[in-house]
Amino acid sequence: MESSVAADLVHFLNASPTAFHAVEEAKKKLSSAGYKQISEREDWDLEAGKKYFFTRNHSTIVAFAIGEKYVAGNGFYIVGAHTDSPCLKVKPVSKVSEGGFLEVGVQTYGSGLWHTWFDRDLSIAGRIIIREQKDGSESYAHRLVSIEEPIMRIPTLAIHLDRGVNDGFKVNTQSHLAPVLATSVKAKLNKPVAENVSVESEVPTDGKKMKETKNSQKHHSLLLQLIAAQSSCEPDDIRDFELQACDTQPSIIAGAMKEFIFSGRLDNLCMSFCSLKALIESTSSASSLQDETGVRMVALFDHEEVGSNSAQGAGSPVMLDALSRITSSFSSETKLLPKAIQRSFLVSADMAHALHPNYMDKHEENHQPKMHGGLVIKHNASQRYATNAVTSFIFREIATKHGIPVQDFVVRNDMPCGSTIGPILASGVGIRTVDVGAPQLSMHSIREMCAVDDVKHSYEHFKAFYEEFSHLDAKITVDI
């Protein structure tokens, strides 16, 4: 029987081709659950027992529920994840014409398995900045866009022209990854006749009129027209955009026993969804926050895949700003924030490497995360993960109390170790942190896989953390 949590995740994945869309979906869920949107540009008027959220750049979102017994200086119980995934982003000047084809210039984002992007049915999604006119005044709006039908493809080279390809396919990310949009033969009438002039010209595609625009020097008019049509605006109204190539194959529950989820962007929308659902469900009833002394929070950051160094990444002050503003809403004493941070706890949730049956030697014998085995606690002596004995004990103890499976991971000594937002926030904010993640295969591929059971385990573990942490933490003595 399919897990309802997994089915909800699949819906979330299909609605979230980009980080912008993931934040939009999160906003919808939070608003439906009674969370009030607030703005970082305005003063905050917060109340104990109430629930709030804010976004930054519409690609990072922070939501929090304040306990009815909260007082300034009490702790924050946070699950942090990230909204971005490795992908191909459209270049600021994307117009490429080679060998009679119209191609779209893209740049690589993150450390993707780029060979998996070949021979896939691709589309475009992201956000655009458009000009709007109303009552004689002009303004500019951010609007999300997602073209669902496949419009592009990155074709591989025939084996007859590269006989050694199966001995090792090396992708040149500059010259090999440009998606094919159309042939110039079909688009030959769609050419600008003068710069900054908008004229109609017929394109023998589907009989529709196509327009050349001011942006036609930078992007193919055909691409701009497709984006404008999907956004119900004119091509000339598109002033800028952040777009990326997307796989059009939908996420799905699959496998012979329906035990897997096959999808793109599991890293890290799976953890984003599970933490978000856990926060919402742990604060859903009228009595949920009645005895809560702290603040339950989820923080979903952008730009983890490229180092988190942005205004909306985990390396920015966004989390510290939130903790500071919430604390100061209840007291003007500045000395209370450091006290609150030392009473707080962060679960850094980022997908983990499951044991691969065809590459058993890539894991050491005593640390082989299995699918269906629950969240993986990640350890690294060099602090590539922020877990320590205290934080791993707390997270494991919560699992034990609720009968939730949990497992451990340490990378082999002779292999490099990845990292997460955990060490960035632990060192930047000074908060106790445990690094965890659900096990998956094909990480950073255009098409990944994880286990249905682990989605349920992750959600249940995060929910238990929100509900149990304050009681458990009161029993632990370290720095006294």
Side-chain angles (χ1 to χ4, degrees):
M1 181 178 178
E2 295 181 6
S3 164
S4 60
V5 182
D8 288 347
L9 169 61
V10 167
H11 176 81
F12 181 80
L13 289 164
N14 284 324
S16 305
T18 74
F20 305 115
H21 291 83
V23 167
E24 182 65 21
E25 285 302 302
K27 285 176 59 177
K28 292 176 183 177
K29 290 182 177 295
L30 289 164
S31 296
S32 295
Y35 282 71
K36 177 184 177 183
Q37 182 166 8
I38 53 179
S39 171
E40 289 189 288
R41 294 188 172 197
E42 307 295 337
D43 293 330
W44 289 2
D45 182 17
L46 308 179
E47 298 178 42
K50 302 295 185 180
K51 303 178 288 189
Y52 307 90
F53 73 90
F54 67 88
T55 66
R56 184 179 288 193
N57 189 52
H58 207 280
S59 59
T60 287
I61 186 166
V62 177
F64 55 94
I66 306 171
E68 290 188 22
K69 294 184 178 180
Y70 171 79
V71 294
N74 285 2
F76 297 82
Y77 318 141
I78 311 165
V79 180
H82 65 90
T83 58
D84 61 319
S85 304
C87 65
L88 299 176
K89 298 211 172 189
V90 178
K91 289 180 176 179
V93 180
S94 71
K95 192 174 186 176
V96 177
S97 298
E98 293 286 350
F101 289 94
L102 305 186
E103 295 183 301
V104 178
V106 295
Q107 56 182 327
T108 55
Y109 176 86
S111 301
L113 289 173
W114 303 123
H115 67 275
T116 66
W117 283 74
F118 285 76
D119 297 336
R120 303 290 302 189
D121 298 342
L122 303 177
S123 192
I124 289 280
R127 71 159 167 201
I128 60 175
I129 307 300
I130 65 168
R131 177 187 60 186
E132 294 181 335
Q133 288 184 313
K134 186 177 182 181
D135 300 328
S137 73
E138 191 171 73
S139 62
Y140 302 92
H142 148 115
R143 187 176 295 177
L144 300 187
V145 60
S146 178
I147 300 173
E148 295 184 1
E149 64 268 19
I151 60 171
M152 307 187 303
R153 198 167 186 267
I154 307 171
T156 48
L157 183 65
I159 193 170
H160 314 83
L161 303 179
D162 186 6
R163 289 291 185 180
V165 66
N166 287 326
D167 297 326
F169 178 35
K170 185 171 177 59
V171 180
N172 184 306
T173 53
Q174 174 61 26
S175 57
H176 295 163
L177 279 178
V180 171
L181 180 69
T183 58
S184 55
V185 171
K186 289 290 184 181
K188 67 181 179 180
L189 298 180
N190 189 26
K191 295 179 180 179
V193 295
E195 189 175 356
N196 295 332
V197 175
S198 180
V199 297
E200 285 193 353
S201 58
E202 294 185 13
V203 180
T205 52
D206 56 3
K208 295 180 180 179
K209 293 277 189 178
M210 305 298 286
K211 286 186 177 181
E212 296 305 333
T213 73
K214 297 175 182 179
N215 291 319
S216 296
Q217 299 302 311
K218 298 171 64 175
H219 309 285
H220 289 301
S221 299
L222 179 58
L223 178 62
L224 293 170
Q225 187 70 25
L226 289 169
I227 296 167
Q230 206 278 335
S231 304
S232 300
C233 70
E234 292 298 319
D236 268 344
D237 292 330
I238 300 173
R239 291 310 172 94
D240 214 332
F241 57 58
E242 290 178 74
L243 300 173
Q244 65 192 59
C246 302
D247 188 8
T248 57
Q249 185 175 359
S251 306
I252 192 169
I253 294 175
M257 300 298 294
K258 300 296 183 186
E259 61 184 302
F260 302 123
I261 294 176
F262 298 161
S263 173
R265 307 175 306 284
L266 288 173
D267 177 19
N268 193 35
L269 291 187
C270 179
M271 293 293 90
S272 294
F273 169 82
C274 290
S275 58
L276 187 69
K277 184 175 178 64
L279 177 68
I280 290 172
E281 293 300 324
S282 76
T283 59
S284 60
S285 70
S287 60
S288 296
L289 298 170
Q290 191 171 5
D291 296 320
E292 180 59 79
T293 58
V295 177
R296 301 174 186 177
M297 177 181 287
V298 65
L300 309 180
F301 300 95
D302 195 5
H303 294 147
E304 188 276 343
E305 297 293 356
V306 291
S308 296
N309 292 317
S310 70
Q312 52 274 3
S316 76
V318 62
M319 177 178 283
L320 191 58
D321 287 349
L323 305 190
S324 176
R325 294 187 70 168
I326 295 169
T327 302
S328 62
S329 292
F330 291 84
S331 174
S332 59
E333 291 188 41
T334 57
K335 65 182 181 181
L336 292 177
L337 180 59
K339 176 181 172 182
I341 290 171
Q342 294 309 309
R343 293 178 170 184
S344 300
F345 193 94
L346 168 68
V347 178
S348 167
D350 203 348
M351 297 295 278
H353 300 287
L355 178 68
H356 197 304
N358 299 339
Y359 300 88
M360 297 285 288
D361 60 333
K362 296 299 182 181
H363 284 77
E364 71 166 44
E365 187 176 352
N366 294 326
H367 300 91
Q368 299 182 337
K370 306 289 202 309
M371 286 194 175
H372 313 302
L375 282 167
V376 179
I377 299 178
K378 306 176 183 180
H379 308 259
N380 184 260
S382 299
Q383 294 301 292
R384 298 291 288 172
Y385 302 129
T387 306
N388 62 33
V390 176
T391 60
S392 64
F393 161 75
I394 290 172
F395 201 68
R396 193 186 312 278
E397 189 69 10
I398 290 169
T400 300
K401 181 175 180 180
H402 289 266
I404 302 169
V406 68
Q407 43 194 336
D408 294 282
F409 173 73
V410 173
V411 74
R412 288 173 57 102
N413 290 336
D414 56 1
M415 293 179 64
C417 182
S419 193
T420 68
I421 61 172
I424 295 171
L425 292 169
S427 60
V429 178
I431 188 172
R432 291 175 293 171
T433 302
V434 62
D435 267 298
V436 306
Q440 74 162 94
L441 293 173
S442 305
M443 185 177 287
H444 287 197
S445 170
I446 196 172
R447 195 76 175 168
E448 302 169 319
M449 64 184 290
C450 70
V452 166
D453 287 346
D454 291 321
V455 176
K456 183 172 181 288
H457 295 325
S458 299
Y459 153 69
E460 291 176 344
H461 204 150
F462 295 152
K463 184 171 182 286
F465 161 71
Y466 284 127
E467 296 172 341
E468 297 282 347
F469 176 77
S470 58
H471 304 293
L472 178 58
D473 191 46
K475 302 177 182 178
I476 299 172
T477 301
V478 177
D479 294 310
I480 295 178

mmCIF file of all heavy atoms in Angstrom, residues 58 116 173 197 266 411 454:
data_model
loop_
_atom_site.group_PDB
_atom_site.id
_atom_site.type_symbol
_atom_site.label_atom_id
_atom_site.label_comp_id
_atom_site.label_asym_id
_atom_site.label_seq_id
_atom_site.Cartn_x
_atom_site.Cartn_y
_atom_site.Cartn_z
ATOM 1 N N HIS A 58 12.203 34.538 -2.662
ATOM 2 C CA HIS A 58 11.241 33.518 -3.086
ATOM 3 C C HIS A 58 11.916 32.186 -3.407
ATOM 4 O O HIS A 58 11.347 31.329 -4.077
ATOM 5 C CB HIS A 58 10.417 33.983 -4.290
ATOM 6 C CG HIS A 58 9.060 33.345 -4.367
ATOM 7 N ND1 HIS A 58 8.856 32.078 -4.861
ATOM 8 C CD2 HIS A 58 7.840 33.789 -3.989
ATOM 9 C CE1 HIS A 58 7.570 31.772 -4.809
ATOM 10 N NE2 HIS A 58 6.929 32.803 -4.267
ATOM 11 N N THR A 116 23.731 12.201 -17.351
ATOM 12 C CA THR A 116 22.338 11.745 -17.225
ATOM 13 C C THR A 116 21.354 12.721 -17.868
ATOM 14 O O THR A 116 20.169 12.397 -17.988
ATOM 15 C CB THR A 116 21.958 11.535 -15.746
ATOM 16 O OG1 THR A 116 21.972 12.796 -15.055
ATOM 17 C CG2 THR A 116 22.920 10.579 -15.064
ATOM 18 N N THR A 173 31.318 20.287 -20.693
ATOM 19 C CA THR A 173 30.132 21.008 -20.235
ATOM 20 C C THR A 173 29.886 22.305 -21.014
ATOM 21 O O THR A 173 28.780 22.851 -20.952
ATOM 22 C CB THR A 173 30.225 21.332 -18.733
ATOM 23 O OG1 THR A 173 31.468 22.010 -18.476
ATOM 24 C CG2 THR A 173 30.171 20.049 -17.911
ATOM 25 N N VAL A 197 12.921 46.671 -32.261
ATOM 26 C CA VAL A 197 11.667 46.847 -32.976
ATOM 27 C C VAL A 197 10.867 45.563 -32.866
ATOM 28 O O VAL A 197 11.400 44.478 -33.046
ATOM 29 C CB VAL A 197 11.903 47.186 -34.460
ATOM 30 C CG1 VAL A 197 10.579 47.244 -35.202
ATOM 31 C CG2 VAL A 197 12.633 48.524 -34.581
ATOM 32 N N LEU A 266 15.215 14.784 -5.601
ATOM 33 C CA LEU A 266 15.028 14.227 -4.261
ATOM 34 C C LEU A 266 16.025 14.855 -3.293
ATOM 35 O O LEU A 266 15.716 15.097 -2.128
ATOM 36 C CB LEU A 266 15.194 12.701 -4.291
ATOM 37 C CG LEU A 266 14.060 11.916 -4.952
ATOM 38 C CD1 LEU A 266 14.424 10.448 -5.065
ATOM 39 C CD2 LEU A 266 12.761 12.078 -4.171
ATOM 40 N N VAL A 411 32.102 8.255 5.943
ATOM 41 C CA VAL A 411 32.713 7.977 4.657
ATOM 42 C C VAL A 411 34.026 7.217 4.858
ATOM 43 O O VAL A 411 34.671 7.335 5.910
ATOM 44 C CB VAL A 411 32.959 9.293 3.878
ATOM 45 C CG1 VAL A 411 34.132 10.082 4.471
ATOM 46 C CG2 VAL A 411 33.165 9.035 2.401
ATOM 47 N N ASP A 454 11.330 5.240 3.827
ATOM 48 C CA ASP A 454 12.205 6.238 4.439
ATOM 49 C C ASP A 454 11.604 7.631 4.414
ATOM 50 O O ASP A 454 11.943 8.471 5.253
ATOM 51 C CB ASP A 454 13.576 6.226 3.751
ATOM 52 C CG ASP A 454 14.350 4.959 4.053
ATOM 53 O OD1 ASP A 454 14.290 4.498 5.207
ATOM 54 O OD2 ASP A 454 15.002 4.421 3.147
#
